[in-house]
Amino acid sequence: MAAVDSEFGEWPLKRLMTEVVGTGTKSAEDMTRAQAMEAMRRILADEPDHTTLGAFWLANRWKHNNAEELAAYTDVMAEHVNYAEPKVDPVDCGANYDGKGKTAILGVAAGVTAAAAGTPVVVHSGDRVPTQKQDAYKHVLDELGVRTELDPDESADMVDETGFGFYYQPNFNPAIHALWERRDNMGVRTFVNTIETIANPANASTHLGSFYHLAFAKKVTDTFKESEHHDLRRVVMFQGMEGYDDIRPGYTKVAEWTNGEFDDFEIETAEYGMDFEYDDLGVDEDDVAGDSAEITEAVLSGERTDRFADAVALNAALRIYAREDADSIDEGLEMAREAIESGAAAEVLEDLRAF
């Protein structure tokens, strides 16, 4: 038996590489929960040298992590997260932290609209996280004049006071933020890109996220199920634009998991009278955050009633439906449009600016 490290255990990353995960794409084995937890504790303690860490991340990428491994990584991450629960139970929106680079970021407008309709929403992100390092929630909110570099308790207060709250990764998840340089040097996504989106800093009972294919959505719901920290009741995931939590024009596959029951359905934007294509939601690629902020303000104020207003209302409807504040997307859509037309959505934006 290998020597046991008094601080961590008997599975340094190099041994995991040579005996478990790094033996090749066909012969590599899955780690046990204990092995994956030890690996993550070593990573967050900055114990492995950077070459070994990079090799371990790549081996996990080639092998494809299963739900048990992802849950183990997530639970160790959770040991370092500064959780702050608002009094209300919001929808946790965990979009990919490395952002978007071609189309409008609609999640801020959608979240504010949902909040105005009575569905509290939490969003979280970092600041141009590797690998893409594009614009994310933070940058749109910055452009709108909303404070973003909040302590977690302030973020929780923001949710309770306005219905919408932003949690900033460096403050609520500093251990993951500390990996920024090593992740940047990798140049490719790692499992960290997955688990940071499900940190759930408000301890919400509903999670809304995005996926690239249905099998990945099932893996994420299984990750929540296997997690010993998370105790979610409902998970809704869909194929978002650029991997983000914005519904695609045309056809979008949606997966939902409620109290252990998994199902999926489709959203066809044409069925809601929405006639636009992917490129119709494009913005200036040199100023994604700025354009997205202008669109957000114009939609929430009622000045725009075009394709962007339709897209925002539909994305708000999905958030309302995810929390089960509406029995259907159609009902959520009516609630979202009323929140905009009544001026309630614009009021939430002003409340956020004043917070």
Side-chain angles (χ1 to χ4, degrees):
M1 178 179 290
V4 176
D5 184 308
S6 60
E7 183 176 359
F8 297 108
E10 63 182 70
W11 289 98
L13 266 59
K14 187 174 181 180
R15 184 182 177 207
L16 285 171
M17 287 291 298
T18 57
E19 297 184 28
V20 186
V21 301
T23 59
T25 54
K26 294 184 179 180
S27 59
E29 298 178 5
D30 294 327
M31 287 174 284
T32 65
R33 176 180 175 84
Q35 288 171 332
M37 291 188 75
E38 179 179 335
M40 192 64 180
R41 289 194 174 111
R42 288 177 181 272
I43 291 169
L44 295 185
D46 198 21
E47 186 267 349
D49 69 82
H50 291 193
T51 300
T52 302
L53 175 58
F56 181 77
W57 273 339
L58 281 177
N60 275 259
R61 180 180 172 91
W62 293 330
K63 181 187 78 67
H64 299 298
N65 289 119
N66 63 22
E68 183 179 35
E69 291 168 330
L70 289 173
Y73 295 147
T74 300
D75 287 348
V76 173
M77 173 184 70
E79 296 171 357
H80 299 266
V81 170
N82 298 315
Y83 288 95
E85 297 184 24
K87 295 175 183 177
V88 297
D89 183 16
V91 176
D92 171 69
C93 295
N96 290 329
Y97 279 18
D98 55 2
K100 294 176 73 174
K102 296 180 180 179
T103 57
I105 298 170
L106 304 173
V108 172
V112 168
T113 300
T119 296
V121 170
V122 158
V123 301
H124 43 97
S125 76
D127 191 351
R128 297 194 168 86
V129 166
T131 54
Q132 295 177 148
K133 295 190 288 187
Q134 297 179 140
D135 291 341
Y137 279 130
K138 179 187 190 306
H139 310 109
V140 178
L141 290 165
D142 286 342
E143 291 284 344
L144 288 167
V146 177
R147 291 173 59 214
T148 56
E149 297 183 13
L150 305 168
D151 291 331
D153 287 342
E154 290 183 294
S155 298
D157 289 341
M158 178 184 278
V159 182
D160 287 326
E161 290 188 23
T162 71
F164 178 95
F166 176 76
Y167 285 68
Y168 185 42
Q169 186 190 51
N171 292 342
F172 80 82
N173 203 352
I176 293 296
H177 177 66
L179 297 174
W180 194 97
E181 183 178 357
R182 277 159 283 174
R183 293 171 65 189
D184 188 40
N185 288 336
M186 283 291 296
V188 297
R189 286 171 177 262
T190 71
F191 59 75
V192 179
N193 290 76
T194 298
I195 66 171
E196 67 187 354
T197 69
I198 60 175
N200 191 14
N203 267 335
S205 64
T206 299
H207 173 78
L208 181 78
S210 59
F211 65 88
Y212 292 102
H213 47 78
L214 193 59
F216 182 76
K218 183 66 166 63
K219 183 184 291 187
V220 171
T221 59
D222 286 345
T223 296
F224 280 120
K225 184 177 179 181
E226 294 285 340
S227 169
E228 294 182 356
H229 170 82
H230 287 311
D231 187 24
L232 277 81
R233 188 186 65 82
R234 184 161 160 81
V235 178
V236 178
M237 300 194 69
F238 59 97
Q239 291 172 306
M241 289 192 299
E242 299 185 63
Y244 222 68
D245 59 357
D246 298 326
I247 296 171
R248 298 180 182 186
Y251 171 88
T252 296
K253 172 71 78 172
V254 182
E256 57 181 334
W257 178 89
T258 307
N259 292 327
E261 297 294 325
F262 186 86
D263 198 5
D264 61 88
F265 62 93
E266 297 81 33
I267 291 177
E268 293 274 5
T269 50
E271 293 180 1
Y272 299 98
M274 299 180 183
D275 182 21
F276 51 78
E277 303 294 335
Y278 182 95
D279 290 343
D280 294 329
L281 299 180
V283 292
D284 182 354
E285 294 182 19
D286 293 324
D287 191 19
V288 173
D291 273 8
S292 297
E294 289 183 12
I295 290 164
T296 295
E297 183 147 26
V299 168
L300 297 182
S301 68
E303 293 178 10
R304 291 193 78 142
T305 57
D306 59 0
R307 62 198 184 280
F308 286 109
D310 283 341
V312 166
L314 185 57
N315 278 281
L318 187 58
R319 285 151 175 76
I320 296 167
Y321 171 77
R323 193 172 178 267
E324 297 184 302
D325 292 329
D327 292 331
S328 66
I329 301 295
D330 285 291
E331 182 183 347
L333 194 56
E334 291 179 9
M335 295 168 65
R337 284 175 167 156
E338 171 60 24
I340 294 173
E341 291 170 6
S342 68
E347 290 178 6
V348 171
L349 177 58
E350 290 309 310
D351 289 342
L352 285 167
R353 284 171 164 155
F355 179 83

